[in-house]
Amino acid sequence: MNSVILQPAGNGDAKQHYIDTITNPVKLSRMARYLEDEQVERLKELYPDQLIPTWGVTPGKTNGNIKKWNRIQTGDITLFSGNGGIFSSAVSTYKLHNKELALELWGTDANGQTWEYVYFLDEVKQHSIMYIEFNKAVGYKENFIIQGFSILDQEKSIRVSEEFDLQSDTHYPEIPFEEYKKVIKEFDPDRPLDAKGKAMVRTEQSFLRKSLFGGKSVENCGICGNTYPVNLLVAAHIKKRAKCSNDEKLDFENIVMPMCKLGCDDLYEKGYITVQNGRILLNTKKIVTPVLTNYIETLVNKECTYWNESSKPYFEWHSKFHI
Ligand SMILES: [Zn+2]
């Protein structure tokens, strides 16, 4: 589950850094010479325009910030605060420890430390959330003021992300298979979705999306073959999720494929199209309209690259279910 990070940036160095490297994202070309090739490649994948909102923290007194920075995961949300409230949020994508890079971007503070625990951000959004609203959502006292870099615990993070709708639909945390397995076994679809249930859904989605998209920001739809930003793609179950056994759900390499929200996901889910022997077919049992027929004709006979001997039984289940 993603955490919420609090970062005051209303005055002093932090205010200046916000202008220098968030309002004005840093060009990858300026940072590249301080980075390893692999890190440059990763950033190119994440930021096709190579303009990167960048933040960093100092080790802090008695190295207190390092421990917190170690906990930052992809998809965590940083809230920047100052002047009576939270003025923006951003989603973390990637992090690295690099003193030279920090010196280049920000120099040093009054204690001679630099902001070498670097993390990169995306989806920077403006907000005007007053402290009083924020405190109410977290469960803090009315007059609480955010002081210093800190990370909210799981329960508070969930409350804040829900209240202000902060979750990213592009950047998800890395979920170990064991944790995915635990969620699959423990999730009860008949229970109403409380905060814990929602966190479980997010964990399952994070795992499946990571396995399909890696860390990429664009990917191809498995039906139409078109390339889309990943927030327009779903990790769709080839066999209806609700009908899958736990073992089938755990067969994550074969049970899901990317489908676009521009039509393919619904057309497949509702059975207007099926995949047989690796080719997309129109389901003639369904009522269609001329405009829909025209659309589906552009898909018919296309090859579905996710069809193989291992995924075949799931596609066959889908065809039988709908025809
Ligand atoms: Zn598509």
Side-chain angles (χ1 to χ4, degrees), residues 71-114:
R71 285 169 52 203
I72 299 178
Q73 294 188 75
T74 302
D76 283 355
I77 300 124
T78 295
L79 298 180
F80 290 98
S81 62
N83 303 320
I86 286 147
F87 61 84
S88 79
S89 70
V91 176
S92 53
T93 58
Y94 185 52
K95 65 179 180 181
L96 46 87
H97 176 221
N98 191 318
K99 198 166 179 175
E100 281 67 41
L101 175 64
L103 287 169
E104 156 73 21
L105 295 176
W106 304 298
T108 52
D109 71 5
N111 303 316
Q113 290 197 335
T114 188

Side-chain angles (χ1 to χ4, degrees), residues 116-127:
E116 61 200 82
Y117 292 87
V118 177
Y119 65 104
F120 303 103
L121 296 164
D122 194 14
E123 301 176 37
V124 179
K125 285 181 203 154
Q126 308 305 315
H127 297 277

Side-chain angles (χ1 to χ4, degrees), residues 220-226 228 232-233 258-265 295 299:
N220 300 336
C221 169
I223 298 284
C224 64
N226 295 328
Y228 291 110
L232 293 176
L233 294 168
M259 292 188 204
C260 72
K261 294 184 189 178
L262 282 85
C264 294
D265 179 40
Y295 185 82
L299 303 173

Side-chain angles (χ1 to χ4, degrees), residues 51-69:
L51 292 171
I52 310 175
T54 305
W55 196 254
V57 293
T58 60
K61 279 178 203 155
T62 67
N63 294 335
N65 286 344
I66 301 176
K67 226 184 193 174
K68 295 178 203 164
W69 179 86

